Amino acid sequence: QVQLVESGGGLVQPGGSLRLSCAASGFTFSSYFMNWYRQVPGKERELVVTITPIGGILNYADSAKGRFTISRDNTKNTVYLQMNNLKPEDTAVYYCGASRRGWSLMDYWGKGTLVTVSS
């Protein structure tokens, strides 16, 4: 019923760019905060950035500032993460999360998409 489906991950060289997409269905997307998290095996899942229901930006991780941009298209029920100047330390599984409340407690999670930054 409720689905968050991430796409756009893959292998990219350092300095390259990727755009991740998260397509939502089964809930009122435009009423939800949308978040991008990332996780490396053995490490805690990290909040990368949050976008409010109407497009305000919150909670940029220090490592993402200046390089990553979150956006949403409420007409398409989709949230994006544009990632530029990628670094090896950006390698992770990137997850889309939806929350009516904000960014700490997700109501819905996607299954993730793997981003690998390597030469």
Side-chain angles (χ1 to χ4, degrees):
Q1 186 67 286
V2 171
Q3 282 193 298
L4 294 173
V5 181
E6 301 97 335
S7 61
L11 175 64
V12 64
Q13 294 184 349
S17 297
L18 287 173
R19 189 178 76 155
L20 306 184
S21 298
C22 174
S25 59
F27 66 99
T28 52
F29 176 82
S30 61
S31 296
Y32 281 69
F33 292 76
M34 299 301 297
N35 303 267
W36 286 100
Y37 283 77
R38 64 187 179 187
Q39 188 168 30
V40 177
K43 297 185 177 66
E44 184 177 304
R45 191 170 295 189
E46 173 192 26
L47 177 62
V48 178
V49 67
T50 300
I51 189 165
T52 74
I54 61 170
I57 311 302
L58 301 169
N59 303 325
Y60 266 115
D62 287 342
S63 60
K65 290 177 182 175
R67 300 188 299 123
F68 292 7
T69 303
I70 191 171
S71 61
R72 69 190 296 159
D73 186 342
N74 286 346
T75 71
K76 297 181 178 180
N77 288 356
T78 302
V79 63
Y80 306 93
L81 185 67
Q82 177 67 45
M83 305 186 294
N84 298 326
N85 192 24
L86 283 160
K87 303 175 180 180
E89 52 263 44
D90 296 317
T91 295
V93 177
Y94 284 72
Y95 296 92
C96 177
S99 175
R100 291 190 61 172
R101 302 162 187 84
W103 50 88
S104 60
L105 181 61
M106 298 298 107
D107 296 302
Y108 311 115
W109 286 105
K111 292 182 173 62
T113 185
L114 177 63
V115 172
T116 303
V117 185
S118 176
S119 298

